Amino acid sequence: MGNVTKPKLVIAGPGAGKTHGMVDEIIHALKSLERHRYMIVVTYTNSATKNIKKRLGKRIAIPPNLFIGTIHSFLNRFIVIPYSSLHNEDVNGEKLFIQCGTDDVLKRMFDNNGETPDYKAKNRIKSKLTKSLHKSGYITYDQTLNLGEKAILNKRIKEMLANRIQYLYVDEFQDTGNKMFSIIESLRKEKRTVIYCVGDPEQYIQSFDSSVKNFQNIPILKASRMNQYETRLNKTNRRSVNTIVTFLNNFSKRVYEDNTFEQQCHNEILGTPVKFISATQNITVMLPEFFARCENENISHKERGIIAKKNDVVNKAVAALNGNVLAPDKSAKVSAVSEIKDTLLSSLGTNQNAFCEEQGLTPFDLRIMAVQIIRAIRAEVITNENTFAAFVKDEFDLTIENNIPFKLDNLRQIIVSNTDAEAIMVSNIHRFKGLELDAILAVAKNEAELNLWLETNTATRDAHSDRGTSDYPRLGYVAFSRARKVLCIACLEPISDNTKEKLNNLGVELDSPTLKFPSLI
């Protein structure tokens, strides 16, 4: 394949059929995929990865040179593992990927030593810690991106990668940070890789990349302004009923050159109005009205969800449902043994080769140990880091060093699922991103948060940069757009008349039906 055409950038809102469109593009392009090169499909969650694999698997036999995975799994497999040690002698040849960031390791180290260093000292220690981790082969979540970006700066590595990758498809492109964008740009400039990116800037979450300081400089918007990218708008919403689509359009009317983005409802179903549930303080009091709306639409429990920005609000929802909840399916089950194995090794401060040699075990023995840990998590013998350490000591006579933190909740979500037919999905908005249900109850913690969710002015939404709340206008949009048939909004605090007026102007039904939809009264 010679020089390729300019990359395609598709701006597509919620429910636009992004995955369906990408799958069509992939199947069409597979006819031209050379046997010695790869087609890469990357996204940002394991659930999205599994969804793409499932859809493709129904239509074709997935060839071995088609890779579908998260951005980190792509970088690890195609750049960090094969190349990072070649140009950087400080990186160990054997890599062990751990479920936390460098800052998490640093915090654990300071907590264990009772230290509170100043900013400069912290950065100096962090630099030394990063080098130490690399020498031992430990790759934290954030270092995958750093090592990938640094490796591709090497001209020879960049050429080899471009020769290896014939097609690159990037889903949820709005979440691509500067480091990944620099890798995409490196491939674009080599003119050997066909690039297709799809995303929605209104669903950008800054916490995925703290290096972006100005919303207008996020990669998807930068690319949309570049002549090197062919930008197209997909304005169809195939997910939600018309009342929800109309409500969502209040928050997404961005102008691309002379083209305003505004979705059209594909299914032409009018639907019931978006509802504000006025009950406050107690989520238990909100549930009857939410459930009543679900019953009216014959929506099953498994298709109902409660989402919020703050985890303490999520915890209140879990308590209101007596713990009978489902977590979003963000993990591919097949990775459970590998995730547990890597967690065990990193907690012990070793790697697979050293561990097996020291203990006189084989990699298969290590997998058996991981399976035992999985069973203990399912049986709730392991419920936190302390019980994890106790189990490892009692069962394997091994001592956890406690220097590398891990998130047991993430591991539990990989291996444990609730099969109760009346369980409701409960989550924070970040984890629910990319998913959808028939009915959503979005709960704001306070009126200030709710008003940020309801901000409609594009310039104001873009300019909002207060530390800790810069994503709130877009988080509201993400929450609202998860709903197919029923959308309810609530707030744990009483709201003012001004906020009620704002809701009414947006077509939201309050205590009495709104005049925005007179045909529904």
Side-chain angles (χ1 to χ4, degrees), residues 36 173 190 208 227 258 269 285 290 407 458 466-467 489:
H36 65 286
F173 185 52
E190 288 295 306
F208 288 137
N227 291 329
D258 59 348
I269 299 173
V285 182
F290 176 56
K407 297 178 180 179
T458 300
D466 291 353
R467 184 176 178 84
I489 305 169

Side-chain angles (χ1 to χ4, degrees), residues 410-457:
N410 292 346
L411 298 178
R412 186 181 291 111
Q413 288 154 21
I414 295 173
I415 62 178
V416 178
S417 61
N418 189 340
T419 58
D420 192 317
E422 294 191 354
I424 305 296
M425 192 170 290
V426 177
S427 169
N428 64 40
I429 299 170
H430 284 80
R431 286 184 53 218
F432 209 88
K433 203 164 179 287
L435 302 179
E436 60 187 78
L437 289 174
D438 282 349
I440 290 292
L441 171 59
V443 184
K445 183 173 183 177
N446 51 49
E447 186 176 21
E449 181 179 316
L450 177 61
N451 275 307
L452 287 172
W453 287 5
L454 299 176
E455 178 57 61
T456 59
N457 184 278

Side-chain angles (χ1 to χ4, degrees), residues 46 99-100 104 141 327-328 330-333 335-336 339-340 343 377 405-416 428 431:
N46 284 318
Q99 278 198 341
C100 64
D104 296 320
Y141 192 77
K330 289 285 187 181
S331 301
K333 305 296 183 188
S335 67
E339 294 282 6
I340 296 293
T343 298
I377 293 175
F406 65 92
K407 297 178 180 179
L408 189 67
D409 284 346
N410 292 346
L411 298 178
R412 186 181 291 111
Q413 288 154 21
I414 295 173
I415 62 178
V416 178
N428 64 40
R431 286 184 53 218

Side-chain angles (χ1 to χ4, degrees), residues 247-265:
F247 176 69
L248 293 175
N249 279 335
N250 289 296
F251 312 104
S252 62
K253 293 181 180 178
R254 186 174 300 277
V255 177
Y256 297 88
E257 294 184 348
D258 59 348
N259 197 345
T260 300
F261 188 87
E262 186 171 5
Q263 286 192 304
Q264 289 88 40
C265 179

